[in-house]
Amino acid sequence: MPRGVRQRSLRQTIVWLFRFLWPHRLRWAGLVALSFVMIGTGLVDPLIFKFIIDDVLTAGKIALLAPAVLVFLAAKLASLWLAYLYGVAYERFVQRILLSIRHELFERIEYKQYAFFKKRELGDLIRLLTSDVWSVRQLLASGERLFINAVRLTAILVIVAFLDWRVLFLVLLALPIYALVQRRYLHAVGHQAKGVAASDVRVLNFFTARLSNILLVKLFSQEDRESRLEKHLTTKYSELNVRYLAGVLRSMTLIGSVTVLAVAALFWFGGSAVLSGALTVGSLVALYGYTLQLFEPVSGLVSTPFTLQETRASLSRISDLLSAKEEPAGARAAAKAMRGDIRFDHVRFRYPERPDRVVLEDVTLRIRSGERVAIVGKSGSGKSTLALLLLRLYEPAGGSILLDGRPLETYPPRVLRSRIGFVPQMHLLFPGSVEENLLYANPRASREELEQAARAAAIHERIVALPDGYRTSIGSGGGRFSEGEKQRLSIARALLRHPDIFLFDEPTSALDAHTAAQLNETLERVTRGRTTILITHQLAAFDFVDRVFLLHSGRLREIEGGRSLRV
C-alpha cells in the first residue's frame, strides 16, 4: 500500500477514535482539572521539608514543628487520595471508550463481506478485538502521560529555578544526556518488543488452528509432531521474552546510573554552596527531592514516541479493518413474505481469493415459486456458490439475479436471509443448550413454535429423551448427536425462521443410506409448497424434486428426465 494512502488511512482512524472521546468531553475536562490539583499536592513535599529544616529545626522554633508535620501529613494524604480518585475516574473513562470501540469493531467485523473472513485467520481477528483494542488504551495512556509529565516537568523546573537558578542550569545540562541514553535503549527495546509481538501472534494462531482441528490431528496420529512444533514455537517465544526483559533491565540500569551521577553532581555543587553559605540545608534537601522527581516526567516524555510507534501497528490493523468492504446495504425493503420466484440471468462469478479460476460462466436458471429443484455436479464444480450468491454472501461478477422479479441487490442482506432457510453442509452449532441453538434463528419464537419445528424435522423425540430435554448442553461441535441428528437440528432451526425459500447444501453427504432415506422423507414433507434448491451429488436419495440441473465447467444445463437420474 502506498505510504500516502496508509498515512491518510491512519489519520482517518485517529479521527474515528476521537469520535469515542467526544461524548465524554465533560468527564475528560474534569480529569484534566483533577490532574492539576493532584500534581500540585504531589510537589509540595520538598518545600515542606525545606520549611521544617530551615525555619523550624535550624531556627529552633519548636512550636511550628507540630503544625508543619500536620501540613505535611495533610498534603501527603490529599495527594494519595487524589491519586486514587484520579486513577479510578480515569479507568472508568478509558473503559467506557474501550467498550464502545470493541463493540463497534465487533459489529464492523460481523458486517464484513464473506470474502473478508476467507482471507483472515481467526487468531488475527481475535487479536484485533483484544490486543489491538488494548493498544488503543496504550494510545490514550500515552496522551494522558504526555500531558501529566509535561505539566510536572514545567512545575518542577519553575520551583528549582526559584530555589537556585544555578542548580537549574546544572539540571538542564543533565536532562539531555538522560534523554539521549533512554532514547537509544528504548529504540533497541522497541525492536525486541516487535519480535515478541510477532511470536505471540504465531503461537496464538498455532493454538487456534490445532485445537479447532483436533480431530484431524488425532486421525493422522500427529500428536507428537504437533507437540514438537508447539515446543519449538513457545520456546522461541520464551527466549524472545527473556531478551526483551534483559534489554529493559539494561536500559533501566544505565538510566539509573545517569540519575545517580546527576544526584552526585547536585550534592557536590549544593554541598559546596551550603558550606559557603550560598544555599541552606533545607534548600539542598528540597533540590534533591525535586531532582529525583525530575527524571520521571522526562522518562515519560521520551518514551511516549516509542509507545505511539508500538501502537501504530495496531492502528494500522484497525484501519485495514475499517477500510475493508462491508456487505452492501441495498435499498430499504420490508421483511415481507416472498413468492420465491428465482432467476439467474447470464451470471458469471470468480472468487475474489481465486480470481484466476472461473467458477460460474454464463449461468441462466429459472425456478418458479414453490418449485423444488436439484443441482448436481462434481465436488468443487461451484454448486454451493449458487447458494452463496443467492444469500448475497458474494456478489456476481456479471449478469443478474432476480427474486420475485426484483434485482437481488435491492434486498438488504438481513431482509433477504430472514426469508431463506439455509441448511449448510457443515453443522454450525454453538456451545450451549439445544434450545439456545435452535432459537438462534428466531429468538422470539415461542415454546410451541420451537417444538413444532423440531417435530417437523423429526428430532423432537430425540431431544426430549435427553437428561434436560431442550436445555441439555449440546456438547462440543454437537457431540451428543449423530450426523443425521445434527442435520435435523439444522433443519429445525431453519424452519423456525418460517422461510419462503429453502437451500440445502449436501444434506446427506455424511449419512448412511438408512439415515439418508429418513432425512429424505423429512425434507419432502417440510419443503412442500416452498421454493427449494437441493445441492447434492447423491441425487438418488431425493426423488421428490421437480427438476434436475447439472453444473459442469461453470455452466448449468437442465437434465431431461432428471428425477430418474442416479448419480
Side-chain angles (χ1 to χ4, degrees):
M1 182 180 292
R3 183 179 177 184
V5 174
R6 173 57 59 86
Q7 287 179 341
R8 183 164 57 252
S9 181
L10 285 174
R11 284 197 296 270
Q12 292 172 350
T13 305
I14 296 295
V15 172
W16 174 78
L17 290 173
F18 188 77
R19 276 200 306 112
F20 298 95
L21 290 171
W22 186 246
H24 305 285
R25 57 190 180 277
L26 294 180
R27 187 181 296 271
W28 193 1
L31 283 172
V32 171
L34 184 60
S35 68
F36 277 114
V37 180
M38 179 185 68
I39 292 171
T41 57
L43 292 179
V44 299
D45 293 3
L47 292 178
I48 296 175
F49 293 152
K50 176 183 181 302
F51 176 79
I52 291 175
I53 294 172
D54 291 343
D55 299 317
V56 178
L57 300 180
T58 304
K61 299 178 181 179
I62 304 302
L64 295 177
L65 182 60
V69 171
L70 288 176
V71 170
F72 166 75
L73 181 62
K76 198 63 180 177
L77 290 175
S79 175
L80 292 172
W81 279 103
L82 284 170
Y84 164 76
L85 293 174
Y86 177 84
V88 172
Y90 175 76
E91 186 62 25
R92 286 177 177 169
F93 170 74
V94 170
Q95 287 301 327
R96 283 188 174 95
I97 294 171
L98 294 183
L99 182 65
S100 300
I101 290 174
R102 184 177 285 112
H103 176 68
E104 179 156 329
L105 284 177
F106 182 71
E107 280 195 335
R108 290 289 192 100
I109 290 174
E110 281 189 304
Y111 287 105
K112 291 301 177 187
Q113 291 183 336
Y114 189 59
F116 170 83
F117 298 95
K118 294 291 185 179
K119 297 181 290 186
R120 295 292 187 110
E121 292 193 36
L122 178 60
D124 290 335
L125 293 178
I126 293 174
R127 178 183 174 85
L128 184 75
L129 291 169
T130 53
S131 300
D132 289 342
V133 171
W134 185 260
S135 293
V136 174
R137 177 195 176 91
Q138 288 183 302
L139 179 65
L140 296 173
S142 295
E144 183 252 356
R145 287 196 300 267
L146 181 65
F147 171 77
I148 295 287
N149 289 325
V151 173
R152 283 190 65 196
L153 179 61
T154 303
I156 291 173
L157 290 177
V158 169
I159 295 173
V160 169
F162 172 77
L163 292 173
D164 194 306
W165 66 268
R166 293 166 297 180
V167 174
L168 175 64
F169 180 73
L170 179 66
V171 166
L172 291 177
L173 286 177
L175 289 183
I177 300 174
Y178 180 90
L180 182 63
V181 171
Q182 187 181 41
R183 180 178 177 82
R184 177 182 176 183
Y185 282 92
L186 281 178
H187 182 72
V189 168
H191 282 294
Q192 292 174 329
K194 291 179 181 178
V196 171
S199 180
D200 180 43
V201 171
R202 286 192 291 271
V203 172
L204 179 62
N205 286 337
F206 172 82
F207 285 138
T208 303
R210 268 52 180 189
L211 293 179
S212 61
N213 293 283
I214 191 64
L215 180 59
L216 182 65
V217 175
K218 289 184 173 296
L219 287 176
F220 290 93
S221 302
Q222 293 296 322
E223 290 92 342
D224 291 342
R225 176 179 177 273
E226 299 299 340
S227 181
R228 289 194 299 271
L229 184 55
E230 178 273 335
K231 185 176 182 179
H232 171 74
L233 289 173
T234 53
T235 299
K236 182 69 174 177
Y237 177 65
S238 297
E239 291 173 352
L240 289 173
N241 269 290
V242 171
R243 292 177 192 170
Y244 171 72
L245 180 61
V248 171
L249 293 175
R250 183 169 56 250
S251 174
M252 293 175 62
T253 301
L254 289 170
I255 291 170
S257 299
V258 174
T259 304
V260 169
L261 290 174
V263 170
L266 170 67
F267 274 109
W268 176 267
F269 174 82
S272 300
V274 169
L275 293 176
S276 65
L279 192 69
T280 66
V281 175
S283 295
L284 178 59
V285 171
L287 287 170
Y288 169 69
Y290 286 121
T291 300
L292 293 181
Q293 292 190 43
L294 186 67
F295 291 107
E296 182 180 348
V298 172
S299 176
L301 291 172
V302 172
S303 64
T304 296
F306 292 92
T307 303
L308 294 176
Q309 186 65 30
E310 290 174 7
T311 62
R312 184 179 177 85
S314 295
L315 291 178
S316 295
R317 284 190 289 270
I318 292 175
S319 177
D320 291 342
L321 171 68
L322 296 175
S323 61
K325 290 183 178 180
E326 296 187 5
E327 289 185 324
R332 291 185 178 274
K336 57 185 180 181
M338 299 175 178
R339 298 192 310 274
D341 188 88
I342 301 170
R343 182 190 295 272
F344 284 72
D345 190 12
H346 302 289
V347 170
R348 303 190 312 277
F349 181 75
R350 301 171 187 239
Y351 281 104
E353 55 268 26
R354 291 286 304 277
D356 58 318
R357 179 174 176 265
V358 176
V359 180
L360 300 177
E361 183 68 35
D362 196 30
V363 168
T364 298
L365 170 66
R366 167 70 189 279
I367 303 174
R368 291 178 290 273
S369 175
E371 191 174 20
R372 298 183 289 189
V373 305
I375 298 176
V376 299
K378 295 179 180 179
S379 296
S381 61
K383 304 185 301 295
S384 300
T385 303
L386 293 173
L388 298 178
L389 289 174
L390 189 58
L391 290 163
R392 293 198 71 190
L393 292 171
Y394 287 101
E395 299 293 320
S400 62
I401 304 174
L402 302 178
L403 179 57
D404 288 348
R406 289 177 49 187
L408 196 66
E409 60 267 20
T410 64
Y411 292 90
R414 293 183 67 179
V415 172
L416 176 69
R417 294 165 196 165
S418 70
R419 308 310 308 165
I420 298 176
F422 180 47
V423 180
Q425 181 178 359
M426 295 178 60
H427 308 299
L428 305 177
L429 299 172
F430 280 118
S433 68
V434 176
E435 183 178 41
E436 289 170 340
N437 270 274
L438 296 181
L439 290 177
Y440 193 76
N442 183 7
R444 296 182 179 179
S446 65
R447 181 66 179 215
E448 182 181 355
E449 289 177 300
L450 178 67
E451 294 185 3
Q452 184 179 357
R455 286 192 178 94
I459 193 64
H460 173 72
E461 298 301 328
R462 173 72 175 93
I463 296 174
V464 296
L466 294 170
D468 296 313
Y470 280 84
R471 295 187 177 181
T472 303
S473 174
I474 209 165
S476 177
R480 284 183 175 271
F481 298 93
S482 67
E483 293 301 312
E485 289 168 343
K486 293 176 189 177
Q487 197 69 280
R488 292 179 189 277
L489 286 172
S490 297
I491 294 171
R493 182 167 56 190
L495 283 170
L496 273 176
R497 302 206 79 165
H498 306 295
D500 304 307
I501 300 170
F502 266 122
L503 293 177
F504 295 97
D505 189 1
E506 300 285 5
T508 61
S509 61
L511 307 181
D512 58 65
H514 176 69
T515 305
Q518 289 181 324
L519 187 61
N520 175 45
E521 295 177 4
T522 300
L523 294 180
E524 194 280 330
R525 183 175 62 256
V526 301
T527 59
R528 288 174 190 166
R530 306 188 196 191
T531 302
T532 302
I533 299 177
L534 253 167
I535 297 167
T536 182
H537 62 274
Q538 296 178 340
L539 186 60
F542 307 106
D543 55 3
F544 58 85
V545 296
D546 300 308
R547 290 189 292 158
V548 178
F549 294 84
L550 174 66
L551 184 60
H552 180 68
S553 298
R555 297 182 180 274
L556 190 71
R557 67 181 179 88
E558 184 175 357
I559 301 175
E560 298 297 333
R563 291 184 63 170
S564 61
L565 183 67
R566 296 295 181 263
V567 179

